[in-house]
Amino acid sequence: MPAIDQSGMRRLNTAATLRVLTDASGTLTSADLVAQTRLSRRTIELIVGDLIAQGWVDEADSPAPTTAGRPKKYYRLVADRATVLSVGINPPLVRAVVADLRGREIARAEGPSGTVADTLDSALRLASEALAQANVDPDHLHALVVGLGGTFSPDGVVLTSPVDPEWVGVDVREPFARRFDVPVVVENDTNLSALAARAEGPARGEQTFALLMPGIRVSAGVVINGELHRGFQGAAGELVRLPDLRDANHRGLLAQISSPDERERVDARAHLRRAIDGDPAVREDARAFFDAVARVVAVLGWVIAPPVIVLVGGFEGLEDGTLALLRDALSTMDAPDIDIRVAALTPDFPVRGGIQLALDIAGATIFDPRR
């Protein structure tokens, strides 16, 4: 019988214990850790001692008054022992957010976009500013995600851009990888919005769904069995490339409902409110827009067949009326019966999704028993 690799087993048990502490909403006792890891009390005591020495865990006060007898020890994760960085390039703003191992925002920096070169320079500067504001050890940064519109090669070169053709051919990943010595991933911003919707938004907990952002860009983020579906060259969901859908969605003020410019979203929302209220002056505009959206929903429904489709845009306070207009358009089509949800899309969705993706990347190392 081959000898047991005691060192490997210790790393495996340490990774499992650290994962339990990370997933916990509060403090845990040794007994809690024993129950959840199924390790012996002595093993847990040794592992927790190591994690405290390494700065991953500290002792916490008792959440309730202690009674007679030996007091229990409570432990909690030092969440900012590992941090991630999410950078969102979503003109007219660039955002950089530092988050801890639980996804809690620690610091952020924002600034305007400009030309491609200026925007990249701004994104790098803001990323450094956010890390400085976070006041955490640079060695504790574990992953960085950059989100923007378009499709990208595996090494982060822009293949297509719905925002500005000047981005095509730009290596977005390289300057970040040169400045920050961590894994860097460049991802489509709608895909990142889908991850945010699953983690903390209208698709919370869903394993398979599609997030659809109608309007000028017409894009979708698809999650299948908990994983992003990117497709060939990352083009899955880039429906803006289909001329008939693009042209249909470009018509009228409602096309600005998912614009990154807040002023345009406000104007589109006012237009949508009039349509919901039955204003005949905007009826045809609304019908054309929602017919186009319904066609996309039907295509997604039949081709991907997700149980849930989330429609996102500047729909704050108008979710129910928007859903009614969409269902009316769908009633004339042979579309599958799908749970359709309408939600507001905040400018923070892509950067929040970037945090989720960065945490997944970091976790592959932090919770790897081979580390």
Side-chain angles (χ1 to χ4, degrees):
M1 178 181 294
I4 297 175
D5 180 0
Q6 295 292 343
S7 177
M9 184 61 69
R10 180 65 172 269
R11 289 195 299 272
L12 179 65
N13 292 339
T14 299
T17 304
L18 187 56
R19 171 65 81 178
V20 168
L21 284 160
T22 301
D23 292 343
S25 58
T27 59
L28 296 176
T29 64
S30 294
D32 295 328
L33 291 171
V34 167
Q36 295 187 44
T37 63
R38 300 187 179 181
L39 299 173
S40 70
R41 186 178 186 88
R42 178 56 180 161
T43 298
I44 286 295
E45 288 174 349
L46 291 172
I47 289 173
V48 169
D50 286 346
L51 290 173
I52 289 175
Q54 296 167 16
W56 286 100
V57 174
D58 63 12
E59 289 192 36
D61 295 332
S62 170
T66 58
T67 57
R70 183 180 177 182
K72 295 180 181 179
K73 290 184 177 180
Y74 290 83
Y75 304 103
R76 65 185 170 198
L77 177 78
V78 180
D80 61 5
R81 174 62 176 75
T83 57
V84 296
L85 182 56
S86 176
V87 177
I89 299 175
N90 192 21
L93 278 180
V94 180
R95 298 173 176 84
V97 174
V98 179
D100 65 19
L101 194 52
R102 288 197 172 113
R104 179 181 63 89
E105 181 177 318
I106 301 175
R108 77 162 52 209
E110 298 182 350
S113 61
T115 66
V116 171
D118 289 344
T119 298
L120 267 181
D121 287 345
S122 176
L124 287 163
R125 175 179 54 79
L126 292 169
S128 296
E129 285 183 10
L131 279 174
Q133 289 177 27
N135 195 29
V136 295
D137 190 330
D139 290 339
H140 292 175
L141 182 66
H142 283 259
L144 192 159
V145 170
V146 183
L148 69 159
T151 61
F152 316 95
S153 69
D155 54 357
V157 176
V158 180
L159 301 176
T160 63
S161 173
V163 178
D164 183 348
E166 293 297 320
W167 279 99
V168 175
V170 173
D171 188 340
V172 176
R173 178 185 174 278
E174 191 275 336
F176 286 94
R178 185 170 5 104
R179 181 171 298 188
F180 304 98
D181 187 23
V182 296
V184 177
V185 171
V186 181
E187 183 58 82
N188 175 272
D189 55 0
T190 307
N191 284 347
L192 295 179
S193 292
L195 292 181
R198 180 172 180 261
E200 53 194 50
R204 185 188 298 271
E206 297 292 344
Q207 290 297 302
T208 299
F209 69 97
L211 177 139
L212 174 62
M213 184 172 65
I216 293 174
R217 281 189 52 186
V218 200
S219 57
V222 179
V223 175
I224 299 176
N225 295 329
E227 300 288 337
L228 276 176
H229 174 66
R230 295 179 174 86
F232 179 63
Q233 293 186 335
E238 283 298 282
L239 302 170
V240 71
R241 306 300 297 175
L242 298 176
D244 56 337
L245 295 180
R246 181 186 63 217
D247 294 344
N249 275 269
H250 265 251
R251 300 189 192 113
L253 190 58
L254 287 180
Q256 298 177 354
I257 199 68
S258 59
S259 169
D261 189 320
E262 173 63 21
R263 294 166 299 180
E264 292 184 350
R265 289 201 309 278
V266 167
D267 290 343
R269 191 157 53 245
H271 202 62
L272 177 59
R273 184 180 296 278
R274 291 174 60 192
I276 291 171
D277 291 341
D279 187 336
V282 299
R283 184 179 302 160
E284 288 304 315
D285 189 19
R287 180 179 292 114
F289 179 78
F290 282 101
D291 280 350
V293 174
R295 289 169 55 205
V296 179
V297 169
V299 168
L300 290 173
W302 286 120
V303 174
I304 300 173
V308 175
I309 291 180
V310 179
L311 185 73
V312 294
F315 300 118
E316 298 92 327
L318 302 175
E319 292 87 350
D320 290 345
T322 300
L323 183 59
L325 290 174
L326 177 56
R327 290 203 176 281
D328 184 57
L330 283 168
S331 66
T332 64
M333 301 181 184
D334 184 19
D337 187 17
I338 294 175
D339 178 7
I340 300 174
R341 304 171 189 176
V342 178
L345 175 67
T346 71
D348 249 10
F349 256 43
V351 79
R352 294 298 306 172
I355 290 171
Q356 297 302 316
L357 181 56
L359 287 173
D360 287 344
I361 296 167
T365 301
I366 294 170
F367 303 116
D368 186 343
R370 296 168 296 181
R371 69 183 180 89

